[in-house]
């Protein structure tokens, strides 16, 4: 190869590398399909679960190894650039270099103060598969529904549980007496009466078992401080009812037909199959998990169980939930 040919070759390779370096990133087609499906499910059946949820912006920040992609955000911050107007998700998609963890499955005001679902790709998160990842998106969208009121974060701060922690990590690390022996004994009675009531949900004995469950629950709450009760109620209000909302979505999806694109993904599980394993898994956690072992994580399944019982014995409870906002008195 002579010098002239070699120089042309080097220039060509340099140009190609430069093009790859500065070319816009791409969102995988399967991720667009998944996001579109979550939006479709929320808009199709969400209103039958929570009135007004379809009015809440479903802003999603999809976190990949190299870039973050912003969907359905009405006013992105200046560090985002427009990638495309996407007909599949019906959203303008914006992008920037990755800032958050690729393993996130969380909701917080991540971009310009708007509550955003910040979530990694299915294979990088606990969800792993398409159907579970979509259910997680719906769970996180419910958190956006919870935070819809402009005074939401002010109300959370007014709980006065942070002890000066402005990062929000107190919600995970609060010093609840998880290992207290008496609290654990009462927790076991509380959860076992819940399971018994669930088993007799449609029985004439159901109301009596519900009364027993409420007494056991009250004994548990009386064993901890006022601040601890407040924290427990907040966690049930936030995470427990979000898990209950997953349950309600799965029950509603019994009559829902997924798109062909979704059904053809190799990691897609029919929602009716997911429903069976999901419910059994949550009930097993209520029955078997120890408060001292699992600590805060127990509130997810427990909240689902409480929501189901209230559907049966206090059918108007959702009105209090949405009207009272951060007033958790119905949980105390």
């Amino acid at each position: 190869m002579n010098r002239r040919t070699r120089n042309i070759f080097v220039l060509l390779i340099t140009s190609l590398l430069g093009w790859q370096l500065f070319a816009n990133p791409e969102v995988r087609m399967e991720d667009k399909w998944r996001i579109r499906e979550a939006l479709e499910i929320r808009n199709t059946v969400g209103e039958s679960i929570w009135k007004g949820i379809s009015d809440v912006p479903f802003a999603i920040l999809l976190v990949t190894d190299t870039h973050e992609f912003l969907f359905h955000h009405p006013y992105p911050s200046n560090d985002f650039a427009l990638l495309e107007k996407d007909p599949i998700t019906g959203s303008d998609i914006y992008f920037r270099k990755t800032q958050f963890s690729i393993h996130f499955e969380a909701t917080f005001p991540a971009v310009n103060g708007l509550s955003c679902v910040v979530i990694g790709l299915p294979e990088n998160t606990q969800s792993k598969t398409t159907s579970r990842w979509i259910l997680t998106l719906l769970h996180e969208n419910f958190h956006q529904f919870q935070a819809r009121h402009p005074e939401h974060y002010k109300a959370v701060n007014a709980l006065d549980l942070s002890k000066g922690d402005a990062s929000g990590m107190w919600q995970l690390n609060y010093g609840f007496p998880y290992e207290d022996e008496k609290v654990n004994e009462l927790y076991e009675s509380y959860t076992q009466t819940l399971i018994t009531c669930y088993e007799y949900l449609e029985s004439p004995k159901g109301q009596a078992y519900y009364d027993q469950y409420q007494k056991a629950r009250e004994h548990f709450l009386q064993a901890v401080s006022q601040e601890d009760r407040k924290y427990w109620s907040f966690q049930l209000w936030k995470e427990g009812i979000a898990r209950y909302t997953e349950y309600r979505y799965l029950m509603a999806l019994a009559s829902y037909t997924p798109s062909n694109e979704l059904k053809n993904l190799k990691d897609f599980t029919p929602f009716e199959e997911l429903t069976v394993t999901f419910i059994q898994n949550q009930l097993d956690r209520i029955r078997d998990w120890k408060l001292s072992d699992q600590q805060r994580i127990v509130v997810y399944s427990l909240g689902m169980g409480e929501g189901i019982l209230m559907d049966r014995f206090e059918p108007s409870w959702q009105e209090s939930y949405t009207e009272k906002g951060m007033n958790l008195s119905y949980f105390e």
Side-chain angles (χ1 to χ4, degrees):
M1 181 183 298
N2 60 39
R3 178 177 294 180
R4 182 174 181 276
T5 303
R6 184 171 62 251
N7 289 343
I8 293 173
F9 178 76
V10 170
L11 179 61
L12 178 61
I13 293 299
T14 303
S15 298
L16 288 172
L17 289 174
W19 179 84
Q20 290 179 339
L21 182 64
F22 294 107
N24 284 344
E26 293 183 353
V27 181
R28 300 183 309 190
M29 192 62 68
E30 58 266 34
D31 295 319
K32 291 182 179 181
W33 292 334
R34 292 170 178 129
I35 289 172
R36 178 187 65 185
E37 203 77 25
L39 289 164
E40 180 64 22
I41 291 170
R42 194 279 299 264
N43 293 337
T44 301
V45 303
E47 285 292 318
S48 67
I49 302 170
W50 292 104
K51 185 178 180 180
I53 196 169
S54 61
D55 298 328
V56 176
F58 205 156
I60 299 170
L61 187 64
L62 180 66
V63 184
T64 73
D65 291 340
T66 58
H67 292 88
E68 295 173 351
F69 300 97
L70 187 62
F71 298 79
H72 294 285
H73 196 296
Y75 39 86
S77 53
N78 293 332
D79 53 340
F80 283 92
L82 179 63
L83 176 65
E84 62 175 310
K85 294 181 180 293
D86 178 42
I88 295 175
T89 60
S91 172
D92 290 350
I93 303 177
Y94 297 85
F95 73 99
R96 71 181 179 189
K97 294 292 186 180
T98 293
Q99 297 185 14
F100 294 113
S101 169
I102 63 172
H103 308 299
F104 264 11
E105 294 177 321
T107 299
F108 54 95
V111 180
N112 253 353
L114 183 69
S115 181
C116 296
V117 177
V118 183
I119 190 166
L121 301 172
E123 62 268 25
N124 291 334
T125 63
Q126 291 183 353
S127 297
K128 297 302 181 187
T129 62
T130 284
S131 302
R132 194 66 189 83
W133 193 80
I134 288 173
L135 194 61
T136 298
L137 275 181
L138 295 168
H139 173 118
E140 298 299 334
N141 177 240
F142 178 70
H143 286 322
Q144 293 173 311
F145 177 71
Q146 290 172 319
R148 70 199 185 284
H149 194 282
E151 298 295 315
H152 171 79
Y153 293 102
K154 181 179 179 181
V156 172
N157 291 333
L159 294 173
D160 197 26
L161 298 172
S162 67
K163 308 304 180 186
D165 174 16
S167 70
M169 290 303 293
W170 64 268
Q171 297 187 32
L172 306 181
N173 301 327
Y174 176 86
F176 191 85
Y178 296 112
E179 298 180 3
D180 182 275
E181 184 175 348
K182 182 63 175 179
V183 171
N184 273 266
E185 290 177 4
L186 293 170
Y187 175 79
E188 184 172 355
S189 175
Y190 165 23
T191 54
Q192 297 314 308
T193 55
L194 189 156
I195 287 293
T196 301
C197 185
Y198 177 84
E199 291 171 346
Y200 285 88
L201 206 59
E202 301 303 327
S203 166
K205 299 179 180 179
Q207 183 64 55
Y209 284 119
Y210 185 66
D211 294 341
Q212 291 180 18
Y213 145 76
Q214 287 187 304
K215 290 178 181 178
R217 188 183 192 283
E218 182 59 27
H219 289 157
F220 168 78
L221 290 173
Q222 288 176 351
V224 300
S225 71
Q226 183 177 358
E227 281 195 344
D228 294 339
R229 287 197 298 273
K230 194 187 301 184
Y231 177 74
W232 188 261
S233 297
F234 172 64
Q235 288 297 321
L236 285 170
W237 181 90
K238 182 178 180 181
E239 298 294 356
I241 299 304
R243 181 59 52 84
Y244 157 84
T245 300
E246 292 182 54
Y247 160 81
R248 287 291 307 275
Y249 268 115
L250 284 173
M251 298 303 288
L253 288 174
S255 58
Y256 175 83
T257 302
S259 66
N260 290 330
E261 291 88 351
L262 198 75
K263 289 190 291 186
N264 289 333
L265 291 176
K266 62 182 180 181
D267 68 340
F268 172 72
T269 302
F271 289 115
E272 57 268 26
E273 292 182 20
L274 179 61
T275 301
V276 174
T277 57
F278 174 88
I279 294 175
Q280 189 58 56
N281 180 260
Q282 302 306 312
L283 293 175
D284 288 345
R285 291 180 179 187
I286 298 172
R287 180 185 295 106
D288 301 331
W289 274 8
K290 304 298 183 184
L291 180 64
S292 57
D293 293 338
Q294 302 299 329
Q295 301 195 1
R296 170 187 165 273
I297 302 301
V298 302
V299 301
Y300 288 81
S301 302
L302 188 61
M304 184 201 82
E306 294 199 342
I308 293 172
L309 297 195
M310 288 190 292
D311 282 346
R312 173 66 177 84
F313 299 105
E314 299 180 45
S316 63
W317 73 271
Q318 283 196 2
E319 296 175 12
S320 297
Y321 188 98
T322 53
E323 287 175 4
K324 292 180 179 179
M326 287 305 302
N327 183 343
L328 309 177
S329 60
Y330 74 97
F331 263 144
E332 294 175 355

